[in-house]
Amino acid sequence: MNEERHGTRRSGGPRKAQEIFDATLDLLAEKGYEGLTIEGVAQRSGVNKTTIYRWWPSKGALLGAALIGARQLDFTPPDTGSLTGDLEALLHTVVTLLTTRPSSDIAVSVLGAATQSPELGAHVREFFADRIALERPVFDRAIARGELTEDTDLTLLMDLLAGAAWVRIVLRQLPLGEDFVARTVGTVLHGARPRT
Amino acid sequence: MNEERHGTRRSGGPRKAQEIFDATLDLLAEKGYEGLTIEGVAQRSGVNKTTIYRWWPSKGALLGAALIGARQLDFTPPDTGSLTGDLEALLHTVVTLLTTRPSSDIAVSVLGAATQSPELGAHVREFFADRIALERPVFDRAIARGELTEDTDLTLLMDLLAGAAWVRIVLRQLPLGEDFVARTVGTVLHGARPRT
């Protein structure tokens, strides 16, 4: 894991930024966005309220920083040597995020709140822009290996993979089946239509 | 539109079921699941509270019935003559649902609430099971035309298509681009990997 990925280094912040981010995400998972307050974060993290306000003037700004900076959501892109292996690893990460507590509660709370609060919405957009930037090397290597063409829409591929997991787990609330990851990646890479 | 699709016929209910369902979904869009009450639905629809309780003993049960029975969410599967055309029409329906008010507010509120309330979660599962049953003829015709094989996982195809729209619109909150629907269906049918 690259030290530069940590929030304190990347986005600036007080010395106990990780404790603040952890408290922010824990409270979000427990109480939802409505129940998240800077006062509650101060209490949980043991950091003075005024210190938190000095760095993040609102709970939207604080949650935005926590999404990108928190260890809990830290992310290292896979490098398995093949596009199929890398995409399966990426999809496994999404599946784990959505089927494990507290990250599944965090994901659903953030999603619901992001559509209500324009400020948080902007931070969620930053979070996803950050993720796709981290995922880009996977696609660059696949293009170099000749597994994808240069005009591939990598955002669309990630939307298809992550979206299938979201719909199956969060919306349909159905079990995944043990071959979900392999089938999903296989369909996105090779298509549903039979080869002629 | 098939009369059997209407909620009053399909799930039973009082004479003014459509007005009750409309009021339920409108209030959900305005106030979220927390703010939805049977009292509020009674007031908005002009139907006596005790009448509503007689048919639906809780707001979870009422919302479940409204999801499947409401005209606002009524759905007729496409029949364009080709799988590509049908899937593009299905994806257009999802995109319209997620980019138009109040249906986009309804969708996000239901999603957030379904994960918090096990009772509503069960009704949301029913809603999606109902949708996939309505979509099945699209896939049966494609198999009959030789466009798909019999072992095609139609739920996975719908999860990929609808999921890409959810992630792009609700999570990333990015514009779709005018060719989003065609590119997404094209990738799911033909795959991202270049043909060799």
Side-chain angles (χ1 to χ4, degrees):
Chain A
M1 193 179 333
N2 187 335
E3 184 64 20
E4 288 296 313
R5 291 291 306 144
H6 283 309
T8 44
R9 297 288 185 87
R10 291 178 77 211
S11 47
R15 201 164 42 84
K16 291 181 74 178
Q18 277 302 328
E19 286 81 354
I20 296 169
F21 294 160
D22 285 349
T24 303
L25 296 181
D26 288 349
L27 283 171
L28 178 75
E30 286 168 28
K31 298 170 192 284
Y33 190 66
E34 297 268 309
L36 176 67
T37 60
I38 290 194
E39 216 144 78
V41 172
Q43 206 158 38
R44 177 79 58 112
S45 64
V47 175
N48 201 294
K49 198 172 70 173
T50 53
T51 305
I52 300 177
Y53 272 115
R54 198 177 309 137
W55 287 93
W56 302 286
S58 68
K59 72 173 177 178
L62 174 59
L63 181 53
L67 287 177
I68 294 191
R71 275 182 301 237
Q72 292 185 50
L73 297 173
D74 208 356
F75 172 76
T76 308
D79 185 5
T80 64
S82 78
L83 177 60
T84 299
D86 284 357
L87 294 185
E88 289 185 0
L90 285 171
L91 184 51
H92 263 301
T93 305
V94 177
V95 166
T96 302
L97 179 91
L98 293 179
T99 54
T100 312
R101 293 200 146 166
S103 60
S104 56
D105 296 323
I106 294 170
V108 172
S109 295
V110 167
L111 166 65
T115 59
Q116 309 296 320
S117 154
E119 186 196 4
L120 182 58
H123 291 298
V124 169
R125 278 197 298 281
E126 277 169 37
F127 170 76
F128 281 104
D130 183 66
R131 277 291 155 109
I132 204 90
L134 290 171
E135 288 154 354
R136 186 171 293 275
V138 163
F139 294 89
D140 289 341
R141 287 193 301 266
I143 292 166
R145 286 188 298 252
E147 294 174 300
L148 290 174
T149 58
E150 287 207 18
D151 64 348
T152 301
D153 182 344
L154 72 96
T155 305
L156 176 59
L157 297 198
M158 287 311 304
D159 288 354
L160 286 164
L161 296 175
W166 268 90
V167 170
R168 184 70 61 99
I169 297 166
V170 182
L171 276 68
R172 288 196 204 277
Q173 301 184 38
L174 288 179
L176 289 177
E178 59 179 34
D179 60 350
F180 174 80
V181 166
R183 284 177 81 110
T184 304
V185 169
T187 301
V188 167
L189 288 182
H190 302 291
R193 290 192 73 151
R195 303 271 159 155
T196 46
Chain B
M1 194 178 334
N2 186 337
E3 186 64 21
E4 289 294 314
R5 293 290 306 143
H6 283 309
T8 43
R9 296 289 186 86
R10 293 177 78 211
S11 47
R15 202 165 42 84
K16 291 182 74 178
Q18 277 302 327
E19 286 80 353
I20 296 169
F21 293 160
D22 285 349
T24 303
L25 296 181
D26 289 348
L27 282 171
L28 178 74
E30 286 167 30
K31 298 172 192 283
Y33 189 65
E34 298 269 309
L36 176 68
T37 61
I38 289 193
E39 214 145 78
V41 171
Q43 206 159 36
R44 177 78 58 110
S45 64
V47 174
N48 201 294
K49 197 171 68 171
T50 53
T51 306
I52 300 176
Y53 271 115
R54 199 178 310 137
W55 287 94
W56 302 286
S58 68
K59 72 173 177 178
L62 174 58
L63 181 52
L67 287 177
I68 293 191
R71 275 183 300 241
Q72 292 184 49
L73 298 174
D74 209 355
F75 171 76
T76 308
D79 185 6
T80 64
S82 77
L83 177 60
T84 300
D86 284 356
L87 294 186
E88 288 184 0
L90 285 172
L91 184 50
H92 263 300
T93 304
V94 177
V95 166
T96 303
L97 178 91
L98 294 180
T99 54
T100 312
R101 293 197 147 170
S103 60
S104 56
D105 295 324
I106 293 170
V108 172
S109 295
V110 167
L111 165 64
T115 59
Q116 308 297 321
S117 156
E119 187 195 6
L120 181 58
H123 292 298
V124 170
R125 277 197 297 280
E126 276 169 38
F127 169 76
F128 281 104
D130 184 66
R131 277 290 155 110
I132 204 87
L134 291 172
E135 288 154 355
R136 187 170 295 276
V138 163
F139 294 88
D140 288 342
R141 287 194 303 266
I143 291 167
R145 286 189 298 253
E147 295 174 298
L148 290 174
T149 58
E150 288 209 18
D151 63 349
T152 301
D153 181 343
L154 72 96
T155 306
L156 176 59
L157 297 198
M158 288 310 304
D159 288 353
L160 286 164
L161 296 175
W166 269 89
V167 170
R168 184 69 61 99
I169 297 166
V170 182
L171 276 67
R172 288 195 204 278
Q173 301 184 39
L174 288 179
L176 289 177
E178 60 179 32
D179 60 349
F180 174 80
V181 166
R183 286 176 80 109
T184 304
V185 170
T187 301
V188 168
L189 288 182
H190 302 291
R193 291 193 72 151
R195 304 269 158 158
T196 47

